Amino acid sequence: EHGQLSEEELASIEKLLAPAKASIDKAQSKVESRMPGADGAMMEELAQLLDKVKGIRTTLEAVSLTLRRQRESFSVQGTLTKAAEKVEAAAQALVKCQEAEMPFLKGVEILPAEESSKAIQDSEAAVLKTENAINSARNYLRAKLNEAKKYVKELSASVTEELTSHQTRLETSAKKLETFKKETAERKTSALLAEVVEAVTDMEKRVDALKSVAVVLSSEDLESVSVDTLKDAIEKTGVAEKEAASSMQHVRKVYALKQREAKG
């Protein structure tokens, strides 16, 4: 009762226990069947024999309980080890999220488009892996906490306490992941808007250029303007108009593209 049996010893004793219990059941049944017709001396002898049989049954039940505790102890050791590994795997996956966001923590207000795109892709990939790790650990812990309810009282209490501790650590990681997911979504939105804003700014410059070269043509006293000046203004206005139209088309394309990207 004080020593820890090996797996082989445990299996060996369990193998002997079943037929021993069957023999005790048979002996008790046989003694009890003879008691109704027994006389005084025989009844006393049968009663003593029945007490011995019941004493052996009590001993076997105690052995059975000890074996159950040790069997559950073997199972629990593996369960707790695996639980710790799964929670640690989730924590390590979260570290990858932190590594993925490093480009955004350099102090640069707006990252170059290519670097920003890669950092966001890395962040989203890290989020997916972390979510999978957290869900796997969460499901495992939930299942094992339910199993722990079936253990003997003392073992159930200690296992539940340790699994609950792992669960608390896991939920801390889950909260950090939610914060990271929100920050990643905000960074993605900012990156998408940055390209649209850049395109709109370029368009505005070209529209301003168009207005500038068209000033001559909007003059109230065109008769005082030389033919060469008018020709030059018309030519420049045509070029500026095409550039402004092209820039407007580019804005529309960028906006449509970023809308598709935002939807995933």
Side-chain angles (χ1 to χ4, degrees), residues 143-160:
K144 296 308 174 182
L145 279 167
N146 286 331
E147 284 183 17
K149 297 175 183 177
K150 303 174 185 177
Y151 296 155
V152 293
K153 186 176 180 180
E154 300 84 355
L155 186 60
S156 176
S158 64
V159 171
T160 298

Side-chain angles (χ1 to χ4, degrees), residues 168-232:
T168 299
R169 183 188 177 201
L170 181 67
E171 292 311 313
T172 298
S173 294
K175 288 180 181 179
K176 290 180 179 179
L177 177 63
E178 287 305 310
T179 299
F180 180 74
K181 284 174 64 177
K182 181 180 179 181
E183 291 173 348
T184 298
E186 291 173 350
R187 287 163 178 159
K188 185 174 184 178
T189 299
S190 296
L192 295 176
L193 289 176
E195 292 188 47
V196 174
V197 169
E198 182 180 350
V200 170
T201 300
D202 180 69
M203 181 199 70
E204 290 174 340
K205 289 179 180 179
R206 295 184 185 280
V207 170
D208 287 342
L210 172 60
K211 291 178 180 178
S212 178
V213 297
V215 169
V216 174
L217 299 179
S218 61
S219 173
E220 294 181 359
D221 187 16
L222 284 177
E223 293 181 0
S224 64
V225 180
S226 68
V227 174
D228 289 338
T229 299
L230 285 174
K231 285 183 178 180
D232 183 60

Side-chain angles (χ1 to χ4, degrees), residues 30 49 93 101 111 119 135 164 167 182 204 219 250 253:
K30 189 173 182 180
L49 187 57
E101 73 171 342
L111 287 177
N135 288 335
T164 300
Q167 200 172 49
K182 181 180 179 181
E204 290 174 340
S219 173
H250 177 63
K253 287 181 179 180

Side-chain angles (χ1 to χ4, degrees), residues 17-35 46 49-50 52-54 56-57 60:
L17 199 59
K21 285 182 178 180
S23 296
I24 288 299
D25 289 341
K26 186 176 180 181
Q28 182 172 340
S29 179
K30 189 173 182 180
V31 171
E32 290 175 340
S33 68
R34 292 184 178 183
M35 292 181 78
L46 289 173
L49 187 57
L50 184 60
K52 288 182 180 179
V53 170
K54 289 181 176 180
I56 295 173
R57 175 186 294 282
L60 288 177

